[in-house]
Amino acid sequence: MSKNILVFSGGIAGLTVAHELINKGFNVTVVEKDNILGGMARSRRETNNIPSEHSWRGYAPFYNNAFDIMKQILLNNNLTASAGSLLEQSSNTVYENLSTPIKFFLMRDISASYDMILNWNDYLCVSYYLLKYLCTDQRRNEYYKIKLMDIFKNKLSDDGYRFLVDFMCGPGYGMEKKDASYAHYFKILSIFIQNQSIYKNNHKCTQNMSCKNYISQANEKWHVMNQPTSEAWFDPWYIYLKDKGVKFLMNSELKKFNIENNEIKSCIVNNQIMYADEYILCINPFNAEKVFLNSTMTNLYNQHNLLNKNTVSRQVAFRLGFNKNIKFPKDNMAFIFPDSEFNITLYPQELFWKDIKLDNDGKIKSLWSGTILELYRNSTIFNKPGYQLTKDELMQEIIYQIIRSHSLQKLIFDNNQFYLTKDDIYYKEIWYEWNTNPETKELEQDNKKWVTNIYNEDYRPNYNTEYKNLYIGGSHAKTSIIVWSMEGAVESGKILSNIILKKYNKPLTYL
């Protein structure tokens, strides 16, 4: 008889578990508290069909497990977000929705240049600390508690610091530099370097008629999708999984587990009791902490309480839509603003989305998707931390910090013969989950985002728990990729799947 699996979360880790186990003969049900799949990687459409997302998504060339999953998901030529069935199938896969590599440009506030120039001292400094990390196994756990900023303080050139700390730490690795650890940073850097000789992947480009096939390698740049993330990845994945037999319970939130003799006997979802043979928990660690508290699971609650302390990320996503066509010197550009108080990064989505309408009536000619990395820093206009601003004030500050950049304005003028002003902005939007808490008067996200830092490495959960049929996953669990990332989420899902497959003597999945 096939075993019944309940997977809590329709994010990347949960969908990976469902993907692997449904293909091995299990009965799988995915329980998702939202009305859309994808977790924090999802996108959605705002008023007038304008694309929005939690934060723009970069895919590194070493995302081996994520790419493996993408290559198994066939695209549907007529797929829409509400399709629900297989209409017309092509041989292309989600993997072909990856763009050509991104070219990052550094936008300075004062000077009007955009190349990142690292000197020999920068390279020597990074090489020294990388070797120190790689060669010191016994002390490596200590490095998780050392701040990266303290390591690099006064040791790098201005551009070296901008690139190696402001850019790589935040936009590159998804950490907040004020609490980023020495060990997390150099672990990812070592993955980049070690994979250069062993990872190579043929990529069939379908982005546009002029795009050519190419080979991804670990020393290449990052990628984005050639359309909004949910439409490029999660909608086809939903169709694939539903076609295979996965059941989805949307708008359904896990409240508590019912325990007997060190085993989960049932659980409460919304107000209903549900039963399964195996329970796989891949939800946000902050929500998991609440579930463990409600379920009187003391050890797991205490662990997650420590895991979540001082680890709420305040990375805010925003969109700016311009009412004029903006030309760029390259078709794969993204911008870093390390001189900005909030350490802003963004990219013009129309450069990568060749066949995607930016709005229904065609008034938006250029749509920029950006992320604030350092909301805790003081704003210039209002002279208080970003998280103490209203959403309207925050948007004013974002626009100010972008438009004042000499580098950006030179690039725009050289290619368009005009300078950008705030009057050129037709559309402004901050991700809908960010709102002012009426009690604290601070901007907070409804679904908190966990972030890797100096406080939490010791408390990352193992996959097996003290309950013989409960397992924990997600990119906050222990993975080889270490940092919170899409690749970490997929790897976590595959590790969980292998635990279940081994338990029932079935062939393991590729990792």
Side-chain angles (χ1 to χ4, degrees):
M1 177 183 290
S2 296
K3 296 296 181 178
N4 295 315
I5 312 293
L6 274 179
V7 179
F8 298 100
S9 172
I12 293 175
L15 292 176
T16 300
V17 174
H19 182 110
E20 298 294 347
L21 295 186
I22 198 68
N23 284 323
K24 297 292 173 62
F26 292 90
N27 296 321
V28 182
T29 300
V30 172
V31 179
E32 168 56 48
K33 74 180 184 67
D34 209 333
N35 62 355
I36 187 172
L37 299 175
M40 290 191 173
R42 72 193 186 277
S43 63
R44 68 181 220 153
R45 295 281 182 155
E46 300 293 339
T47 303
N48 209 23
N49 211 33
I50 299 171
S52 180
E53 57 196 335
H54 174 270
S55 180
W56 67 275
R57 298 285 145 195
Y59 302 79
F62 60 84
Y63 273 30
N64 305 26
N65 291 296
F67 293 161
D68 176 62
I69 287 285
M70 290 178 188
K71 289 176 181 178
Q72 298 176 44
I73 307 168
L74 290 175
L75 293 175
N76 309 307
N77 294 340
N78 296 323
L79 178 69
T80 64
S82 60
S85 64
L86 203 60
L87 298 177
E88 183 179 342
Q89 195 175 86
S90 74
S91 60
N92 293 324
T93 67
V94 166
Y95 181 70
E96 272 74 60
N97 279 339
L98 289 171
S99 73
T100 51
I102 303 169
K103 172 67 174 176
F104 287 98
F105 283 75
L106 192 151
M107 301 288 104
R108 297 172 176 83
D109 277 358
I110 305 301
S111 63
S113 61
Y114 10 89
D115 289 329
M116 292 177 280
I117 304 170
L118 276 65
N119 61 33
W120 279 107
N121 180 71
D122 296 329
Y123 287 109
L124 288 172
C125 182
V126 171
S127 299
Y128 169 75
Y129 285 108
L130 175 60
L131 287 171
K132 187 175 179 181
Y133 166 79
L134 292 173
C135 298
T136 322
D137 286 343
Q138 292 181 344
R139 294 188 57 197
R140 193 167 295 173
N141 285 339
E142 298 176 22
Y143 295 161
Y144 287 111
K145 299 176 177 64
I146 297 175
K147 289 189 177 185
L148 179 72
M149 290 177 66
D150 293 341
I151 292 292
F152 280 147
K153 188 176 181 180
N154 300 323
K155 294 183 177 71
L156 301 171
S157 67
D158 288 345
D159 268 10
Y161 194 88
R162 285 185 176 106
F163 177 70
L164 295 166
V165 179
D166 291 332
F167 168 57
M168 285 183 63
C169 187
Y173 300 161
M175 299 186 289
E176 294 183 342
K177 70 179 186 184
K178 69 181 180 67
D179 292 325
S181 86
Y182 169 21
H184 289 116
Y185 182 92
F186 280 97
K187 169 64 174 180
I188 296 298
L189 185 59
S190 70
I191 290 173
F192 263 104
I193 294 171
Q194 291 168 1
N195 273 285
Q196 285 187 20
S197 61
I198 63 172
Y199 175 64
K200 181 184 289 187
N201 216 330
N202 291 323
H203 184 95
K204 180 181 174 185
C205 185
T206 59
Q207 182 178 334
N208 58 74
M209 293 301 291
S210 63
C211 183
K212 299 179 180 179
N213 294 348
Y214 63 93
I215 295 175
S216 298
Q217 298 185 91
N219 58 352
E220 271 197 312
K221 306 295 189 291
W222 293 62
H223 311 264
V224 294
M225 288 290 184
N226 63 11
Q227 54 190 295
T229 311
S230 289
E231 295 157 45
W233 187 2
F234 302 128
D235 289 348
W237 208 357
Y238 168 77
I239 297 293
Y240 172 92
L241 293 174
K242 192 172 182 183
D243 221 35
K244 291 280 187 176
V246 174
K247 299 178 182 67
F248 289 90
L249 297 180
M250 307 301 291
N251 299 305
S252 301
E253 185 173 5
L254 172 66
K255 300 295 186 180
K256 66 174 291 188
F257 291 110
N258 297 316
I259 307 161
E260 185 179 318
N261 297 327
N262 238 31
E263 183 178 9
I264 308 299
K265 288 298 183 182
S266 64
C267 63
I268 307 297
V269 175
N270 292 344
N271 294 315
Q272 300 294 317
I273 298 178
M274 295 188 68
Y275 301 89
D277 296 298
E278 309 290 350
Y279 300 81
I280 299 179
L281 190 69
C282 295
I283 65 176
N284 182 310
F286 298 99
N287 294 333
E289 182 181 344
K290 295 176 185 176
V291 171
F292 296 140
L293 179 63
N294 293 338
S295 308
T296 321
M297 303 167 86
T298 305
N299 292 336
L300 286 173
Y301 168 75
N302 289 336
Q303 179 186 9
H304 279 69
N305 180 261
L306 294 169
L307 175 76
N308 295 333
K309 272 190 175 181
N310 304 310
T311 60
V312 178
S313 171
R314 281 176 161 158
Q315 297 180 4
V316 181
F318 64 89
R319 253 64 50 197
L320 295 176
F322 295 85
N323 58 15
K324 58 175 61 174
N325 290 309
I326 301 174
K327 298 177 183 177
F328 297 93
K330 294 181 180 292
D331 286 337
N332 59 343
M333 298 184 69
F335 303 118
I336 311 156
F337 295 82
D339 290 350
S340 64
E341 289 80 357
F342 294 160
N343 194 7
I344 293 170
T345 69
L346 60 83
Y347 82 110
Q349 293 179 309
E350 71 277 5
L351 295 185
F352 301 87
W353 296 356
K354 299 302 179 183
D355 299 314
I356 301 295
K357 291 180 65 174
L358 302 179
D359 65 341
N360 277 341
D361 53 23
K363 291 184 178 179
I364 296 179
K365 308 299 182 183
S366 182
L367 182 64
W368 296 4
S369 183
T371 305
I372 292 171
L373 278 303
E374 298 175 32
L375 190 66
Y376 53 85
R377 293 181 61 186
N378 260 20
S379 64
T380 300
I381 299 175
F382 301 98
N383 193 31
K384 55 185 177 181
Y387 60 82
Q388 293 182 0
L389 304 177
T390 66
K391 289 180 79 168
D392 181 65
E393 290 172 339
L394 180 59
M395 182 54 74
Q396 291 181 54
E397 185 70 32
I398 290 168
I399 293 170
Y400 170 78
Q401 292 184 23
I402 291 172
I403 286 181
R404 78 179 179 199
S405 166
H406 283 53
S407 293
L408 177 68
Q409 293 289 17
K410 180 181 187 303
L411 184 146
I412 296 296
F413 185 83
D414 286 348
N415 292 275
N416 300 272
Q417 285 68 59
F418 60 75
Y419 294 106
L420 280 183
T421 72
K422 62 182 180 181
D423 294 332
D424 298 323
I425 300 173
Y426 169 78
Y427 174 76
K428 299 174 285 188
E429 172 251 320
I430 291 172
W431 180 246
Y432 77 102
E433 288 187 320
W434 283 94
N435 295 290
T436 300
N437 184 315
E439 295 181 2
T440 65
K441 307 301 181 185
E442 295 179 355
L443 278 174
E444 295 180 3
Q445 189 175 349
D446 296 340
N447 285 303
K448 296 178 182 178
K449 179 179 180 294
W450 190 85
V451 65
T452 312
N453 63 23
I454 59 172
Y455 303 107
N456 52 36
E457 186 62 30
D458 287 345
Y459 308 108
R460 297 178 82 152
N462 292 313
Y463 295 89
N464 291 290
T465 70
E466 62 193 279
Y467 307 97
K468 64 182 182 180
N469 60 344
L470 174 66
Y471 312 87
I472 295 176
S475 55
H476 58 285
K478 294 180 179 179
T479 65
S480 66
I481 207 72
I482 280 193
V483 299
W484 173 285
S485 63
M486 292 181 291
E487 171 65 5
V490 176
E491 181 188 342
S492 167
K494 288 195 169 192
I495 292 171
L496 275 170
S497 301
N498 279 342
I499 291 172
I500 301 297
L501 293 171
K502 185 175 181 180
K503 183 174 182 177
Y504 291 100
N505 297 314
K506 291 181 177 286
L508 302 185
T509 187
Y510 169 77
L511 256 173

